[in-house]
């Protein structure tokens, strides 16, 4: 039987406990009483917050209330909103045709930023083998916890810089889609990118460390991802509390 390629990552120091703690925080947040009555409004608010945070991480930072009011026309912000709105409809295709979904995500976020010829296409043929390897993982080559899978998807797409323009928005959306399709966050209630934005220096540093491929670099990124997930769970609780008032 082939060895699970992600299994060794769970043996890195402190990674498994960090992911377990993050999973427990998510599970607790998902049990909030407000989700029984106000799940729709909560999901809409989370979608707005995580989209704005994702655009900000690609240096397109705008005030949340300005985006809510519809006065922000920045193309990357608008693209991030389109991407988030598309995730539910892409869930069924993600494991079967991840390259197709990545192309769709890139087209949605970058259609007002890049030329038509650049949309949905990797920037260079050299990244294709690693994109194919990532696709194989998503198609069933691993049974690792979904949080670990999402972290690897996110880190790998950032490291590859696979797409022109707002590649980071694509990477973050792909990670969120992994959590949704994998059943950890089926309703898209985790504001993952708020978690990353709240720890932005660590996010940047640990993603660069992941790109080195060293055990310490991988461990740094996975621990960051777990911490960002806990922050996303806190954000969900905060939004739920407000909805319950």
């Amino acid at each position: 039987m082939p060895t699970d390629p992600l299994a060794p990552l769970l043996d890195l120091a402190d990674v498994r406990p960090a992911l377990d703690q993050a999973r427990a925080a998510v599970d607790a947040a998902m049990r909030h009483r407000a989700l029984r009555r106000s799940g729709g409004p909560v999901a809409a608010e989370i979608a707005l917050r995580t989209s704005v945070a994702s655009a900000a991480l690609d240096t397109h930072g705008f005030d949340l209330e300005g985006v809510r009011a519809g006065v922000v026309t920045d193309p990357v912000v608008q693209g991030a909103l389109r991407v988030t709105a598309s995730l539910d409809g892409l869930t069924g295709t993600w494991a079967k045709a991840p390259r197709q979904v990545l192309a769709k995500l890139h087209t949605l976020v970058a259609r007002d930023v890049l030329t038509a010829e650049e949309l949905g296409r990797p920037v260079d043929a050299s990244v294709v083998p690693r994109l194919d390897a990532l696709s194989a993982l998503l198609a069933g080559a691993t049974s690792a916890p979904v949080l670990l899978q999402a972290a690897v998807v996110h880190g790998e797409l950032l490291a590859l810089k696979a797409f022109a323009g707002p590649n980071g928005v694509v990477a973050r959306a792909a990670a969120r889609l992994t959590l949704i399709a994998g059943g950890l966050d089926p309703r898209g209630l985790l504001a993952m990118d708020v978690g990353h934005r709240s720890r932005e220096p660590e996010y940047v540093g640990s993603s660069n460390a992941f790109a080195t491929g060293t055990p310490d670099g991988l461990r740094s990124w996975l621990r960051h991802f777990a911490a960002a997930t806990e922050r996303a769970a806190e954000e969900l609780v905060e939004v739920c509390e407000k909805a319950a008032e």
Side-chain angles (χ1 to χ4, degrees):
M1 180 178 294
T3 302
D4 190 320
L6 299 188
L9 299 180
L10 291 170
D11 295 326
L12 295 172
D14 302 324
V15 166
R16 191 188 297 269
L19 292 174
D20 286 347
Q21 183 172 311
R23 174 63 192 256
V26 170
D27 289 345
M30 295 290 181
R31 292 193 292 268
H32 197 285
R33 64 191 185 284
L35 292 175
R36 292 194 293 271
R37 301 190 312 275
S38 306
V42 168
E45 179 65 17
I46 291 293
L48 175 66
R49 293 187 185 197
T50 205
S51 300
V52 171
S54 184
L57 286 165
D58 259 40
T59 70
H60 290 256
F62 289 87
D63 177 65
L64 177 66
E65 296 311 315
V67 179
R68 190 194 308 280
V71 299
V72 175
T73 59
D74 177 81
V76 173
V77 173
Q78 294 303 315
L81 291 167
R82 285 193 297 270
V83 161
T84 296
S86 77
L87 294 184
D88 185 58
L90 296 172
T91 302
T93 312
W94 182 229
K96 295 181 290 186
R99 287 282 304 276
Q100 176 185 324
V101 173
L102 289 173
K104 175 69 171 178
L105 293 174
H106 185 245
T107 299
L108 285 170
V109 71
R111 73 185 191 197
D112 297 323
V113 179
L114 302 174
T115 65
E117 292 73 23
E118 295 173 291
L119 295 177
R121 295 179 173 85
V123 292
D124 192 275
S126 65
V127 306
V128 171
R130 282 175 66 176
L131 283 176
D132 287 342
L134 192 63
S135 297
L137 276 179
L138 293 165
T142 181
S143 58
V146 67
L147 266 178
L148 180 60
Q149 293 183 43
V152 170
V153 166
H154 191 157
E156 185 73 351
L157 290 173
L158 288 180
L160 285 177
K161 298 181 174 62
F163 297 96
N167 178 72
V169 176
V170 175
R172 289 182 286 276
R176 282 154 47 209
L177 187 53
T178 303
L179 296 177
I180 294 168
L184 181 69
D185 181 24
R187 297 163 70 186
L189 295 171
L190 284 177
M192 287 298 299
D193 302 330
V194 171
H196 296 306
R197 180 87 196 283
S198 72
R199 309 170 71 93
E200 187 168 359
E202 179 185 280
Y203 174 76
V204 173
S206 64
S207 64
N208 288 336
F210 176 93
T212 67
T214 63
D216 282 346
L218 297 172
R219 174 178 174 271
S220 172
W221 170 250
L222 296 174
R223 282 171 55 82
H224 161 77
F225 197 88
T229 303
E230 287 194 62
R231 177 65 191 91
E234 291 172 1
E235 188 80 358
L236 173 56
V237 171
E238 290 170 14
V239 173
C240 284
E241 291 292 335
K242 188 171 183 180
E245 289 177 357

